[in-house]
Amino acid sequence: MAQLDLSTRDSFGSKIGVVAAAAGSAVGLGNIWRFPYVAGESGGAAFLMVYLGFILAIGFPVMLAELTIGRRAQRNALGSFKKLAPGKPWYLVGLMGIGAAFLILAFYSTIAGWTLEYLAQAISNGFDGKSSEELKNSFEQFQAAPFRPLIWQMIFMFLTAYIVYSGVKKGIEKYTKILMPILVLLIIVMSIRSLTLPGAEKGISFLFKPDFSKITWPVILDALGQAAFSLSIGMGTLITYGSYIPKNNNLPITALQVTAADTIIAILAGIMIFPAVFAFNIDPAEGFGLVFIVLPNIFEQMPGGYFFAILFFVLLSIAALTSTVSVLEVVVAYFSEELNMSRRKATILGAIGISFVGVLATLSFGPLSELQLLDRTIFGWFNYLSANVLLPIGAIFIVIFVGWHLGKKNVLDEISNQGELRLRLINLFMVIVKFIAPLAIAAVFIYGLGIIK
Ligand code: PHE
């Protein structure tokens, strides 16, 4: 077998670079597109509470566990398991992650493509003078069209592949550091506009006043899936990124910063969307199209809306791009390290393979919309399967691996940078990864799917 030359392995350049890349992966359409529509479908505030509970109790520990595996092994998602557990079937967890990467990128690029379309519409002043009803209709027409959404999706896949191919350090890392704070600022500006619309209070109470009668097992599973999806955990993205993190980086602090940034942006997105939802009489349970219908309404109602709309969709596209890059990187790192491909070949092959699957996701809003199983389209299935099934299962195995296979001594060694950092909560962390997280995820999963009633 060919010996891997680790000295040529790429890595992140700085502490800020590590956080920018990992937060770039976490913060994306998951926060701004997915969180509001899932919360909207699941009753708002009660969903938010459960979601926050999962972020803290499970999301953060799983993230730290993944970073630990990756940095320990210095390999891709599958190779890391092979290296740390040679001759054992743990590598299957990595394989499942690579499958999840295919599914996620396939449907994520559909929505990323919609973002580009909306950028184009913003530039051509396409929202101007349209009523809430008209904005909704034009969205529905666009998503069901046979070609336009596909073309945008392919453009987006091309951009993703281009960046992955050029390496992460000099491109994405550099720009996200500047652009993500601007995105946050812009969301705050839009939240203020949204909050000052007549009738906004209803949106705020929808988001923050929980009605716990809305909580059912499927909703709890949705919250878990959303937490995992939004944090990019459960499929090896953070194993892969962890493998590029320098040995002197403080992993718990990194994980904490990424988790905090991700959560704050999701909540801000909620504050931006829900007041407007109620002010413009849009159904919070509108579904996949929610933000694309609501946002143009807000832009129309703000001074400088033309300018802000362009800026917003540029930034949203970039937020999406820093996430798609991290998903494709999982596949590319695997192809190049395990299957001995050049990075170029791995990128092209990965991107083309995913694009083929992605076509199905995009067309399931138009020509393939009748193709449904149990009330879900192909897009619906990709979305549901990855977030609510593959990521939770992946997360269970990842924590079990760290808790039971790696064991406390190795974990402590890796997380404490070989004894350099003092870790006060390591015992709590071990209890969570050994017992609490696997049991809690398994319970939510089994009840949420209705395996046990
Ligand atoms: N976390 C990303 C987002 O919220 C999506 C993602 C999921 C990225 C899984 C990588 C892995 O947009």
Side-chain angles (χ1 to χ4, degrees):
M1 201 178 76
Q3 196 60 42
L4 263 175
D5 181 8
L6 284 182
S7 61
T8 59
R9 230 171 161 276
D10 208 358
S11 70
F12 293 127
S14 62
K15 207 154 75 185
I16 302 240
V18 170
V19 175
S25 170
V27 176
L29 296 172
N31 310 58
I32 295 161
W33 159 73
R34 202 175 190 283
F35 172 76
Y37 99 73
V38 179
E41 281 177 340
S42 306
F47 174 89
L48 176 63
M49 302 301 143
V50 181
Y51 169 79
L52 291 177
F54 281 138
I55 293 272
L56 256 180
I58 294 184
F60 170 73
V62 176
M63 181 180 291
L64 184 54
E66 268 194 53
L67 294 174
T68 305
I69 294 175
R71 193 174 67 174
R72 187 88 181 155
Q74 312 265 300
R75 292 285 161 86
N76 62 84
L78 187 139
S80 284
F81 286 102
K82 265 209 223 148
K83 180 165 170 194
L84 298 175
K88 302 238 172 72
W90 281 107
Y91 69 91
L92 293 171
V93 180
L95 198 61
M96 190 174 81
I98 286 143
F102 264 78
L103 278 194
I104 289 176
L105 199 44
F107 80 85
Y108 200 97
S109 55
T110 304
I111 310 296
W114 293 0
T115 309
L116 291 182
E117 161 77 18
Y118 270 67
L119 172 59
Q121 285 193 25
I123 293 171
S124 62
N125 209 5
F127 312 134
D128 198 36
K130 285 196 177 141
S131 68
S132 183
E133 203 44 40
E134 285 168 324
L135 287 168
K136 184 170 170 205
N137 290 339
S138 77
F139 169 75
E140 276 158 10
Q141 262 169 28
F142 159 70
Q143 67 161 188
F147 291 115
R148 245 179 117 86
L150 274 184
I151 292 167
W152 288 123
Q153 178 183 33
M154 294 309 140
I155 293 175
F156 205 90
M157 282 303 295
F158 176 81
L159 290 172
T160 305
Y162 179 76
I163 288 168
V164 169
Y165 174 61
S166 346
V168 176
K169 198 184 308 186
K170 296 223 173 67
I172 213 77
E173 197 183 313
K174 196 166 95 196
Y175 294 109
T176 38
K177 273 187 280 189
I178 311 163
L179 294 166
M180 294 310 277
I182 306 180
L183 180 67
V184 175
L185 216 65
L186 207 59
I187 295 181
I188 294 173
V189 170
M190 295 204 27
S191 303
I192 293 171
R193 173 66 279 216
S194 185
L195 283 170
T196 50
L197 289 165
E201 323 77 57
K202 273 201 215 140
I204 285 306
S205 52
F206 180 78
L207 186 62
F208 292 113
K209 264 221 197 106
D211 166 4
F212 285 104
S213 69
K214 296 269 166 63
I215 296 291
T216 57
W217 279 110
V219 167
I220 297 176
L221 177 59
D222 279 339
L224 176 69
Q226 175 59 27
F229 187 83
S230 192
L231 292 175
S232 304
I233 56 177
M235 53 155 281
T237 301
L238 293 165
I239 295 180
T240 309
Y241 273 19
S243 76
Y244 305 139
I245 295 183
K247 284 286 184 190
N248 63 2
N249 189 275
N250 188 327
L251 292 185
I253 298 276
T254 298
L256 201 64
Q257 287 167 335
V258 174
T259 306
D262 190 65
T263 308
I264 291 169
I265 295 192
I267 294 176
L268 282 175
I271 298 177
M272 161 174 84
I273 297 296
F274 287 111
V277 161
F278 287 91
F280 297 116
N281 267 322
I282 294 163
D283 179 6
E286 170 68 40
F288 302 134
L290 185 66
V291 292
F292 292 94
I293 295 168
V294 175
L295 288 175
N297 274 298
I298 311 180
F299 291 124
E300 258 225 322
Q301 299 277 324
M302 63 198 279
Y306 173 73
F307 170 74
F308 282 122
I310 296 174
L311 193 58
F312 187 86
F313 284 113
V314 169
L315 293 168
L316 187 57
S317 309
I318 291 167
L321 194 59
T322 55
S323 299
T324 52
V325 160
S326 74
V327 185
L328 186 58
E329 181 65 29
V330 171
V331 176
V332 169
Y334 163 67
F335 279 176
S336 58
E337 287 179 1
E338 301 302 310
L339 308 179
N340 276 320
M341 285 180 202
S342 67
R343 193 167 171 86
R344 185 191 160 95
K345 192 169 159 199
T347 309
I348 295 174
L349 215 70
I352 290 180
I354 290 167
S355 299
F356 270 108
V357 192
V359 169
L360 299 175
T362 299
L363 292 183
S364 66
F365 289 96
L368 300 181
S369 61
E370 301 293 311
L371 202 61
Q372 295 194 8
L373 187 69
L374 301 173
D375 269 349
R376 262 186 245 281
T377 59
I378 299 175
F379 179 97
W381 274 109
F382 286 2
N383 183 7
Y384 182 84
L385 266 183
S386 52
N388 287 17
V389 179
L390 294 177
L391 299 186
I393 295 181
I396 290 183
F397 284 115
I398 285 163
V399 282
I400 292 181
F401 183 81
V402 166
W404 297 93
H405 179 85
L406 266 188
K408 186 170 171 188
K409 204 170 128 286
N410 286 319
V411 172
L412 189 61
D413 185 63
E414 190 57 46
I415 296 184
S416 72
N417 300 350
Q418 287 73 46
E420 233 164 71
L421 305 173
R422 273 181 45 118
L423 302 171
R424 256 168 279 141
L425 298 178
I426 191 73
N427 287 327
L428 176 62
F429 176 70
M430 289 311 290
V431 171
I432 292 180
V433 293
K434 276 178 118 156
F435 305 104
I436 299 178
L439 288 173
I441 301 170
V444 171
F445 186 66
I446 289 169
Y447 282 101
L449 288 184
I451 297 171
I452 297 181
K453 293 239 180 349

